[in-house]
Amino acid sequence: MLSRRNFLTAAVGVAAAGGLAACAKKDDSSSSSSGGDSKTITLGFSQVGAESGWRSANTTSVKDAAKEAGYTLKFSDAQQKQENQISAIRSYIAQKVDVIAFSPVVVTGWDAVLKEAKAAKIPVVLTDRSVETSDESLYVTLVGSDFTDEGRRAAKILEKVIATAGLKGDVKIAQLEGTTGAAPAIERAKGFKEVMDADHADDWKIVVSQTGDFTRAGGKQVMAAFLQSNPDVNVLFAHNDDMAIGAIQSIEAAGKKPGKDILIVSIDGVKDGFVAMSEGKINAIVECNPLLGPQLMDVVKKVHDGETVERWIKTKEGDFLQDQAKAALPSRQY
């Protein structure tokens, strides 16, 4: 399991070859343990893209961990397009890599290419995001977070935020969703709504909800539209920090104070999110740790060696409130 850094005080307990599509970026650089070692594991990794600070930190973690492990890494950036990832995976199959890992852009549409990998006897490991398949044997394991639980925790921490702020009356929530069809968008929304429906059916309401594609630009644009159509929203639930940061710009442009006039809860825990918390503009963050690289490399070795691994390998996470931001910020590494 991925060990979390000790970046908080004891008070913290509350807190993805020539066969690629032309538009997909590819980094042909590779790393190996000792020049030309025929036993070096070759890993093909397809990343979603570089849509957020979280994703960039995740990519860096994977590349650094592969180098440290002495693996040959073949990396591709799908630029948030499923067709690019499918092309990358087929390229890895053609190159006969030892293991394929990828963070799926969306949940569905993977059966055909995963069957091709299975037929080629190349094991597949999912990172960060899950998929829906007709045959679960098409991939070995998932290394990532429980997104549904992150949504639940966001709702629970919002309860604390509302109590601290002294917000009275109806809670009118604007929701900035992640990329349509992506596992974190689906599951974070589901978990949040579970708690809302169970505990706050009478006083909480999601009055407007739309995708911001996990990007700052998307968060800014969609939040501006939210404020036009629903100027009385008093809470924002953003599926990631980057959308929340973009939304803050629109909230301020509308003459409102983020973190006060509109309470904000987001998910991820990247450095810029903590900066916004330290400035009082985000009230709480549910962590989704992007540093999956070392954990992934351990799993890749076990899979390559034929060892049994858990079906789902979860990361450890936390929740953070505004008053913890200054304690957490200096030690954040992503």
Side-chain angles (χ1 to χ4, degrees):
M1 299 294 288
L2 181 65
S3 296
R4 288 189 56 218
R5 288 172 169 75
N6 251 336
F7 46 74
L8 292 178
T9 63
V12 178
V14 129
L20 291 178
C23 57
K25 296 179 182 176
K26 183 174 179 182
D27 181 353
D28 288 318
S29 62
S30 62
S31 50
S32 59
S33 54
S34 57
D37 184 352
S38 61
K39 295 183 180 179
T40 297
I41 294 173
T42 299
L43 170 65
F45 181 77
S46 176
Q47 181 61 281
V48 172
E51 75 282 359
S52 64
W54 191 100
R55 190 63 55 190
S56 297
N58 179 243
T59 293
T60 298
S61 177
V62 170
K63 288 183 175 181
D64 289 349
K67 183 176 181 180
E68 184 174 347
Y71 299 168
T72 297
L73 178 66
K74 296 182 179 294
F75 179 88
S76 66
D77 178 342
Q79 298 182 326
Q80 294 184 277
K81 295 180 180 179
Q82 184 180 31
E83 59 267 31
N84 290 349
Q85 281 199 309
I86 291 173
S87 293
I89 293 169
R90 286 185 170 140
S91 173
Y92 297 150
I93 294 170
Q95 294 175 68
K96 298 180 181 181
V97 301
D98 295 307
V99 180
I100 292 171
F102 74 109
S103 182
V105 176
V106 293
V107 170
T108 58
W110 301 103
D111 277 29
V113 73
L114 291 180
K115 286 177 181 177
E116 292 171 25
K118 184 176 181 180
K121 297 183 180 180
I122 301 174
V124 174
V125 175
L126 304 181
T127 68
D128 177 37
R129 300 179 177 186
S130 62
V131 299
E132 293 177 3
T133 67
S134 60
D135 179 1
E136 289 196 346
S137 72
L138 295 178
Y139 67 92
V140 179
T141 188
L142 163 65
V143 180
S145 304
D146 186 336
F147 296 134
T148 302
D149 191 55
E150 288 174 354
R152 296 187 192 107
R153 285 158 46 209
K156 285 296 185 182
I157 206 166
L158 177 58
E159 294 174 337
K160 299 178 186 290
V161 168
I162 289 171
T164 300
L167 179 62
K168 305 297 182 183
D170 292 339
V171 176
K172 299 178 180 180
I173 303 168
Q175 180 175 227
L176 276 170
E177 305 168 27
T179 302
T180 302
I186 295 168
E187 295 168 21
R188 286 169 181 169
K190 176 185 175 183
F192 188 90
K193 195 170 187 302
E194 279 182 11
V195 173
M196 188 179 76
D197 289 349
D199 301 336
H200 300 283
D202 296 330
D203 57 331
W204 289 18
K205 183 179 180 181
I206 296 177
V207 297
V208 62
S209 184
Q210 186 176 321
T211 178
D213 274 330
F214 285 128
T215 68
R216 294 191 190 192
K220 180 180 179 180
Q221 180 179 358
V222 175
M223 191 66 199
F226 284 173
L227 293 171
Q228 287 289 325
S229 61
N230 295 272
D232 57 345
V233 296
N234 49 22
V235 169
L236 170 64
F237 169 42
H239 286 189
N240 79 340
D241 290 348
D242 280 78
M243 290 191 296
I245 292 166
I248 285 170
Q249 298 176 48
S250 291
I251 292 169
E252 292 176 330
K256 296 178 181 286
K257 292 184 178 180
K260 293 184 179 179
D261 297 328
I262 298 179
L263 305 177
I264 300 176
V265 172
S266 66
I267 299 176
D268 268 358
V270 298
K271 180 179 179 181
D272 287 353
F274 276 94
V275 170
M277 283 184 71
S278 70
E279 296 171 345
K281 297 179 180 181
I282 291 180
N283 302 87
I285 295 175
V286 173
E287 182 187 22
C288 180
N289 198 313
L291 305 182
L292 303 179
Q295 198 170 9
L296 173 61
M297 299 312 145
D298 288 344
V299 171
V300 166
K301 181 157 193 319
K302 289 179 180 178
V303 169
H304 177 263
D305 292 347
E307 296 182 27
T308 300
V309 297
E310 299 173 45
R311 183 64 179 169
W312 182 10
I313 301 169
K314 299 181 184 180
T315 61
K316 294 180 179 179
E317 303 169 317
D319 300 337
F320 308 95
L321 293 166
Q322 249 179 20
D323 59 1
Q324 298 163 342
K326 290 181 175 63
L329 184 58
S331 299
R332 299 301 287 190
Q333 299 298 308
Y334 51 93

